[in-house]
Amino acid sequence: MRDLTALGAVELVEGYRKGEFSPVEVTRAALERAEAIQPEVNAFVRLTGEEALAQARESADRWRRGEPAGLVDGVPVTVKDILLMRGAPTLKGSKVLSEKGSWDEDAPSVARLREQGAVFIGKTTTPEFGWKGVTDSPLSGITRNPHDPSRTAGGSSGGAAAAVALGAGPLALGTDGGGSVRIPAAFCGIFALKPTYGRVPLYPASAFGTLAHVGPMARDAADAALMLDVIGAPDARDWSGQGPSAVSYQEVLREGVRGLRVAYSPSFGGQVRVQPGVAAAVRRGVEQLARLGAYVEEADPDFTDPVDAFHTLWFSGAARVTQQFGPHQRELLDPGLREICGLGARYSALDYLAAVDVRMDLGRRMGRFHESYDLLVTPTLPVTAFEAGAEVPQGSGYRRWTGWTPFTYPFNMTQQPAASVPVGVDGDGLPVGLQIVAARHRDDLVLRAAHALTGVTAAGT
């Protein structure tokens, strides 16, 4: 019997069109898978089974009439519990927030998916307020890696990545303020895109400001492109959102990479120590781009690690998130979050503006870099998944999660599109991600290159 949970969103829509199976069958299969994986992996804070099946029945009726509501009608989707979803509390991994309330509003990305017929099967786990690169929280505990439950799924969209990897819905909505869709995608062996800032509207506005992006998570670039065509539509509630996209991201995939100029930076000029198994898998991906006709050369972007400036921006945002909480509420916070909030509260306005200066200079440097190169390719992360429940790898000497994510957060500062593409495994069988970065507003180039690498995982295992 066909495993419906193994099918991607593009395949599901085609199957609905041909009448091979129904949204109700697919939704039941996704919910059963979600329930089965939950005890070991802990990807969900809430499953919305009854509501999902009602949505699936409505979708099945539309398909029978030949009147689908949109591009993703009947496709199961999960929503990270940072984003508002009508009918379900959004508690953001925190014991401080209350379930009480009407919960009658969708975030823009959720609203666009709902308008086009998506089926919402549940809300996925996040660290408290999405503050770190692994997924554990006082509210929901530890989310574990689908390839080895003793290891982390990454974060902060860890539940979303684990759900996609294990077949509990082919599409997931995640958020990314410093790598939070790309980190868990790399650790869990799926695809994720952080679009150009503003490409996907965000509401309510994030306390982390214009570092925060919303992005699609899926098994491959084709499904992510389909999702981006839906969630990239404008929303008046986002003051910084872009207008409608000038292209269909699904249609540009077929253009491939022939003739594109690709800079391959294996270690940011020796600034980052990369595990050998990671380096080897990423190099295989780069070699595949060259075989497909891209012009590839080793070249490093012209910047040093901006981590201090990122910390100023990030910790200030965390302090803002928790500013209204009293002493008792603060005691309920994740201790690491409480610590960075204390640091963030001590920064002055001049400190913050100095970090903005670093950010603007970084953007200038990358703008010049992309005059010479269409794409920058790096490892997504220098390491594979480490022990679950830890913010940093044991014995690494890192103090915060940013120590092992040096390839991701710079491109939140510059607002560039960046994706993590699965390109195989290391010697321990743990997934490796390759990061593709393009100039602002060239999400199409990132998706084209990522699509060209489809299948390289199998070649590298």
Side-chain angles (χ1 to χ4, degrees):
M1 186 174 178
R2 195 171 192 181
D3 181 4
L4 297 177
T5 67
L7 301 180
V10 172
E11 294 171 300
L12 290 178
V13 171
E14 184 62 20
Y16 298 154
R17 184 173 290 110
K18 293 178 178 178
E20 296 176 348
F21 40 76
S22 79
V24 176
E25 294 174 282
V26 169
T27 299
R28 283 202 181 106
L31 286 167
E32 288 171 3
R33 180 61 57 85
E35 290 170 353
I37 68 173
Q38 182 62 11
E40 185 170 45
V41 175
N42 188 32
F44 290 89
V45 294
R46 182 180 301 267
L47 289 170
T48 52
E50 290 184 13
E51 298 92 332
L53 287 170
Q55 293 162 8
R57 286 189 286 269
E58 292 172 359
S59 173
D61 287 341
R62 291 191 293 269
W63 280 107
R64 276 194 292 269
R65 298 194 306 268
E67 299 173 352
L71 296 176
V72 291
D73 201 344
V75 177
V77 178
T78 64
V79 178
K80 182 181 180 180
D81 199 36
I82 291 289
L83 298 167
L84 294 177
M85 186 177 87
R86 196 172 72 219
T90 299
L91 301 182
K92 304 182 180 183
S94 182
K95 291 182 175 180
V96 176
L97 301 184
S98 172
E99 290 192 13
K100 295 178 181 178
S102 57
W103 303 110
D104 58 359
E105 193 170 24
D106 283 332
S109 51
V110 177
R112 299 295 85 75
L113 288 164
R114 194 184 298 277
E115 289 163 2
Q116 299 212 24
V119 173
F120 297 100
I121 67 169
K123 302 206 77 178
T124 54
T125 53
T126 175
E128 195 164 20
F129 300 107
W131 81 270
K132 60 183 174 180
V134 294
T135 301
D136 57 76
S137 76
L139 183 67
S140 57
I142 298 171
T143 297
R144 299 178 180 276
N145 193 291
H147 296 266
D148 179 351
S150 72
R151 298 175 187 260
T152 180
S156 62
S157 307
V164 169
L166 290 170
L171 300 179
L173 277 174
T175 64
D176 190 315
S180 289
V181 299
R182 290 161 289 155
I183 294 165
F187 278 178
C188 294
I190 69 163
F191 176 85
L193 171 69
K194 178 189 76 66
T196 300
Y197 179 80
R199 176 72 276 146
V200 179
L202 177 61
Y203 170 85
S206 173
F208 295 103
T210 57
L211 294 172
H213 303 57
V214 178
M217 305 177 72
R219 291 195 186 98
D220 57 35
D223 275 8
L226 168 65
M227 193 176 187
L228 187 59
D229 276 342
V230 175
I231 65 176
D235 191 289
R237 294 172 293 175
D238 184 348
W239 67 273
S240 60
Q242 299 177 29
S245 174
V247 301
S248 163
Y249 294 107
Q250 295 173 86
E251 291 180 2
V252 301
L253 296 179
R254 67 192 71 166
E255 297 178 22
V257 296
R258 183 167 300 279
L260 293 183
R261 303 162 298 168
V262 176
Y264 168 43
S265 179
S267 62
F268 277 173
Q271 295 182 73
V272 182
R273 187 172 56 208
V274 179
Q275 289 178 352
V278 171
V282 171
R283 184 172 288 277
R284 285 195 296 270
V286 172
E287 291 169 351
Q288 176 72 354
L289 292 174
R291 283 193 292 271
L292 292 170
Y295 299 113
V296 178
E297 66 175 289
E298 286 201 23
D300 301 307
D302 175 29
F303 64 79
T304 55
D305 188 354
V307 67
D308 291 336
F310 179 79
H311 281 168
T312 299
L313 300 170
W314 192 251
F315 296 175
S316 297
R320 177 61 176 161
V321 167
T322 60
Q323 186 178 25
Q324 75 274 26
F325 299 150
H328 173 69
Q329 293 171 305
R330 288 179 179 275
E331 285 301 311
L332 299 176
L333 296 175
D334 180 326
L337 174 60
R338 193 163 59 240
E339 181 180 334
I340 69 162
C341 288
L343 294 171
R346 292 197 287 271
Y347 292 128
S348 69
L350 289 178
D351 293 330
Y352 191 91
L353 290 173
V356 171
D357 286 342
V358 172
R359 183 181 189 180
M360 291 190 292
D361 183 64
L362 185 63
R364 177 188 64 80
R365 291 171 184 269
M366 288 308 302
R368 295 298 298 271
F369 184 83
H370 284 292
E371 290 181 329
S372 299
Y373 299 101
D374 299 301
L375 297 170
L376 168 66
V377 172
T378 75
T380 305
L381 298 167
V383 299
T384 50
F386 50 87
E387 58 271 24
E391 184 184 344
V392 300
Q394 186 176 6
S396 66
Y398 299 131
R399 175 66 180 143
R400 296 263 77 103
W401 61 273
T402 44
W404 52 270
T405 61
F407 293 113
T408 59
Y409 55 79
F411 304 111
N412 292 81
M413 298 176 75
T414 62
Q415 304 186 338
Q416 293 171 249
S420 182
V421 185
V423 286
V425 297
D426 71 355
D428 295 323
L430 295 170
V432 174
L434 172 152
Q435 181 174 237
I436 303 172
V437 183
R440 292 174 75 245
H441 311 297
R442 295 312 309 265
D443 306 67
D444 59 316
L445 294 182
V446 173
L447 286 164
R448 281 169 53 186
H451 186 60
L453 287 174
T454 299
V456 76
T457 300
T461 54

